[in-house]
């Protein structure tokens, strides 16, 4: 007997914040500009440690299975913020009021209710438990933080990580540092050479966003302070220590390339072991060379798109181009550095034929080893308007999406060496790399239907 098809119902909320499901209407989700029912391969039970958001000024919509019509409700739309290690494959569908406020910088997943539980359009992309805290009492984290502050009173970087990132922002990386496990954050840079639309630590004065989830670092640590953090983490995380420059509370770390190179060199010269990683926009190839020569293990390069025009509209680079990003990846791979893409996935825009072709070329031609499937934290309607701007008087139709699962499968077929995940992996001191060197790979041009070019 065939299993009954899962058909989650619409989830909505009243003005008091009470969340409930509609007895008749089905859940509708959004991919780019397209609305539809969730695909069978993208529904999963809402993971533990996820959150539900009410969407102000946005009315819930659902599908009447009898008439086939979309019906709008007076109640508010609801979205899910999926726990780390999960990538969203669809946004919630809703009807926005005329003066609906801009949504804060979070990721908004389509959520429904069926068989006594919530379901979300998402996919688990990493089995690593490093950002799971449900079995760790808050008081334990706070005690560890107090002990570290007591034992290292003069280190400003330790104080920033614990007083700001743990106590104020509940940053998962900072909490792990307090606990002495997994990956230690190493924020170093107050400045940035990109003006990302969705920057979580700083916005331009003319930005419509009035609040950012974090505040930017207010000082530049010294190399000795950075090395002390690394050595402390190495003593406590003896199995698989990872140290990462480039955090949400700072600008881009390559702005301080000399400081980073000196810190890595001192750490390695003192016998420092483990994976030294840099999360960056990869804007400065010469800085990547210096870091690689100093002992960098891995480079994680953030991008919202492998298409230059879309990249430009979101990152708004100040003194670099997308060609510099590609050059940085090549320099890193040529020097034995493991390169990941921090792909800011946006359903309905990232998972299209045009993006698949561009992303495969970026990966294969430059020697990328891994894709980390992260969610783009942004108001979905705002992002669609952003990437569709600058097209003259013509409306730019977003091409049909193939869905996250199919997109991942097809990308892996084009680049079979690729590793998938969500977190920076532990690679030892030096990674074993199977990705081709720059110039060793070529892909036949895929057949794509012309919709609207962003090139």
């Amino acid at each position: 007997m065939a299993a009954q098809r899962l058909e989650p119902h619409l989830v909505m909320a009243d003005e008091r914040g009470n969340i409930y499901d509609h007895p008749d209407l089905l859940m509708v989700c959004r991919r780019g500009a397209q609305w539809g029912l969730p695909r069978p391969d993208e529904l999963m039970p809402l993971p533990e440690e996820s959150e539900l958001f009410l969407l102000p000024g946005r009315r819930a919509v659902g599908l009447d299975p009898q008439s086939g019509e979309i019906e709008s409700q007076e109640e508010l739309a609801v979205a899910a913020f999926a726990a780390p290690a999960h990538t969203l494959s669809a946004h919630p569908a809703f009807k926005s009021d005329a003066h609906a406020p801009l949504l804060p910088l979070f990721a908004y997943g389509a959520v429904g209710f069926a068989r006594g539980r919530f379901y979300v359009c998402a996919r688990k992309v990493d089995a690593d438990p490093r950002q799971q805290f449900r079995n760790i009492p808050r008081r334990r984290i706070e005690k560890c933080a107090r002990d570290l502050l007591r034992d290292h009173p003069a280190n400003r970087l330790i104080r920033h990580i614990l007083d700001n990132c743990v106590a104020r922002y509940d940053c998962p990386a900072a909490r792990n540092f307090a606990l002495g496990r997994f990956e230690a954050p190493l924020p170093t840079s107050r400045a940035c050479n990109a003006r990302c639309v969705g920057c979580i630590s700083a916005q331009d004065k003319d930005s419509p966003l009035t609040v950012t989830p974090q505040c930017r670092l207010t000082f530049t640590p010294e190399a000795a302070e950075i090395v002390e953090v690394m050595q402390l983490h190495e003593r406590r995380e003896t199995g698989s220590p990872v140290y990462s420059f480039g955090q949400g509370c700072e600008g881009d770390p390559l702005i301080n390339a000399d400081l980073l190179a000196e810190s890595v060199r001192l750490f390695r010269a003192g016998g420092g072991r483990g994976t030294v990683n840099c999360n960056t926009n990869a804007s400065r190839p010469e800085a990547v060379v210096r870091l690689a020569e100093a002992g960098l293990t891995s480079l994680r390069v953030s991008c919202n798109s492998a298409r230059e025009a879309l990249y430009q509209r979101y990152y708004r680079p100040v003194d670099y181009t997308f060609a510099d990003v590609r050059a940085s990846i090549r320099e890193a791979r040529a020097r034995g550095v493991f390169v990941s893409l921090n792909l800011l996935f946006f359903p309905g825009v990232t998972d299209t034929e045009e993006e698949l072709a561009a992303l495969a070329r970026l990966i294969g031609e430059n020697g990328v080893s891994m894709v980390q499937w992260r969610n783009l934290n942004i108001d979905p309607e705002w992002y669609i308007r952003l990437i569709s701007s600058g097209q003259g008087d013509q409306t730019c139709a977003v091409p049909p999406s193939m869905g996250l699962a199919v997109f991942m499968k097809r990308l892996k077929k084009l680049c079979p060496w690729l590793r998938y995940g969500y977190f920076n992996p532990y690679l030892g001191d030096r990674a074993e790399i199977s990705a081709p060197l720059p110039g060793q790979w070529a892909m036949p041009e895929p057949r794509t239907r012309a919709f609207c070019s962003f090139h």
Side-chain angles (χ1 to χ4, degrees):
M1 184 176 178
Q4 184 179 1
R5 178 186 173 94
L6 184 66
E7 293 185 326
H9 280 220
L10 166 65
V11 171
M12 52 193 180
D14 60 29
E15 295 292 344
R16 295 189 298 273
N18 298 309
I19 297 175
Y20 50 95
D21 64 311
H22 195 283
D24 302 312
L25 299 182
L26 299 181
M27 166 191 181
V28 177
C29 60
R30 174 176 181 161
R31 303 175 193 87
Q34 303 161 345
W35 288 13
L37 294 175
R39 297 180 171 112
D41 65 356
E42 67 181 338
L43 284 169
M44 65 175 297
L46 185 66
E48 292 188 70
E49 301 188 61
S50 299
E51 299 181 65
L52 294 178
F53 292 155
L54 277 61
L55 306 184
R58 292 155 177 85
R59 305 299 159 183
V61 299
L63 176 71
D64 184 335
Q66 300 301 319
S67 67
E69 298 293 325
I70 296 287
E71 294 187 8
S72 179
Q73 307 296 298
E74 287 299 315
E75 289 81 3
L76 293 176
V78 174
F81 185 85
H86 296 84
T87 304
L88 299 174
S89 59
H91 293 117
F94 49 76
K95 292 286 184 69
S96 294
D97 297 343
H99 301 291
L102 195 66
L103 293 174
L105 293 174
F106 295 107
Y108 300 92
V111 62
F113 194 83
R115 302 175 187 174
R117 67 192 306 174
F118 292 104
Y119 282 83
V120 64
C121 290
R123 182 182 181 91
K124 187 170 185 177
V125 294
D126 204 317
D128 193 321
R130 75 177 64 178
Q131 290 189 7
Q132 295 176 10
F133 297 94
R134 60 182 177 270
N135 296 320
I136 301 175
R138 177 73 190 185
R139 61 182 179 275
R140 177 184 166 193
I141 299 173
E142 292 172 348
K143 182 183 184 304
C144 289
R146 288 195 303 270
D147 291 345
L148 288 173
L149 288 169
R150 180 198 63 215
D151 295 340
H152 305 273
N155 191 308
R156 296 172 299 165
L157 185 54
I158 291 177
R159 181 164 296 281
H160 169 76
I161 294 170
L162 301 177
D163 279 350
N164 288 308
C165 305
V166 172
R168 295 177 62 188
Y169 308 127
D170 258 349
C171 169
R175 281 184 279 170
N176 278 331
F177 172 69
L179 293 166
R181 64 176 201 166
F182 301 121
E183 183 174 358
L186 299 171
T188 59
S189 179
R190 291 179 289 173
C192 194
N193 57 349
R195 299 178 298 116
C196 298
V197 172
C199 180
I200 65 173
S201 62
Q203 288 289 328
D204 290 344
K205 292 180 180 180
D206 60 350
S207 172
L209 289 166
T210 57
V211 178
T212 54
Q214 298 179 359
C215 293
R216 187 160 289 181
L217 189 72
T218 58
F219 68 96
T220 301
E222 297 178 356
E225 293 176 297
I226 297 169
V227 174
E228 184 178 17
V229 172
M230 299 173 78
Q231 292 173 337
L232 173 61
H233 189 63
E234 181 187 20
R235 291 196 299 270
R236 301 171 76 219
E237 169 53 276
T238 58
S240 53
V242 180
Y243 324 87
S244 279
F245 298 104
Q247 300 296 319
C249 58
E250 64 173 314
D252 194 85
L254 294 186
I255 297 293
N256 287 340
D258 291 339
L259 174 63
L260 268 60
E262 180 186 3
S263 301
V264 175
R265 192 174 294 110
L266 287 172
F267 177 67
R268 294 299 195 198
R273 311 294 294 177
T275 298
V276 180
N277 173 72
C278 184
N279 306 316
T280 174
N281 59 27
S283 58
R284 299 189 171 182
E286 72 286 351
V288 171
V289 171
R290 278 183 284 158
L291 276 173
E293 293 173 348
L296 189 73
T297 317
S298 61
L299 188 79
R300 190 181 80 178
V301 179
S302 289
C303 65
N304 67 314
S305 174
R307 290 176 279 171
E308 185 170 3
L310 265 68
Y311 179 92
Q312 294 272 0
R313 288 177 199 171
Y314 179 79
Y315 278 84
R316 299 186 298 174
V318 175
D319 63 357
Y320 72 95
T321 67
F322 199 60
D324 293 317
V325 176
R326 291 193 294 267
S328 291
I329 296 172
R330 291 195 299 272
E331 295 287 5
R333 173 64 187 93
R335 288 164 175 78
V337 174
F338 183 96
V339 181
S340 298
L341 289 185
N342 184 40
L343 182 62
L344 304 178
F345 187 85
F346 188 93
V349 175
T350 310
D351 51 341
T352 60
E353 290 285 353
E354 192 171 10
E355 188 67 41
L356 176 67
L359 187 60
R361 287 194 294 270
L362 178 65
I363 289 167
E365 293 172 358
N366 300 289
V368 173
S369 293
M370 180 180 184
V371 174
Q372 295 182 29
W373 300 89
R374 296 298 186 102
N375 300 298
L376 180 57
N377 291 358
I378 198 167
D379 183 318
E381 290 185 320
W382 187 30
Y383 188 67
I384 291 295
R385 290 195 299 269
L386 173 74
I387 65 170
S388 300
S389 64
Q391 302 296 324
D393 296 329
Q394 297 181 348
T395 300
C396 181
V398 178
S401 68
M402 64 187 75
L404 174 60
V406 173
F407 188 84
M408 293 176 72
K409 182 177 180 180
R410 290 183 60 186
L411 181 61
K412 192 70 171 283
K413 187 173 182 180
L414 293 169
C415 306
W417 65 87
L418 263 185
R419 180 171 174 174
Y420 285 167
Y422 188 94
F423 304 109
N424 291 312
Y426 172 73
L427 303 164
D429 302 348
R430 189 171 182 83
E432 294 184 8
I433 300 176
S434 57
L437 284 164
Q440 291 184 341
W441 179 91
M443 181 187 73
E445 284 293 327
R447 296 177 63 184
T448 60
R449 180 181 173 188
F451 285 85
C452 178
S453 175
F454 289 97
H455 295 286

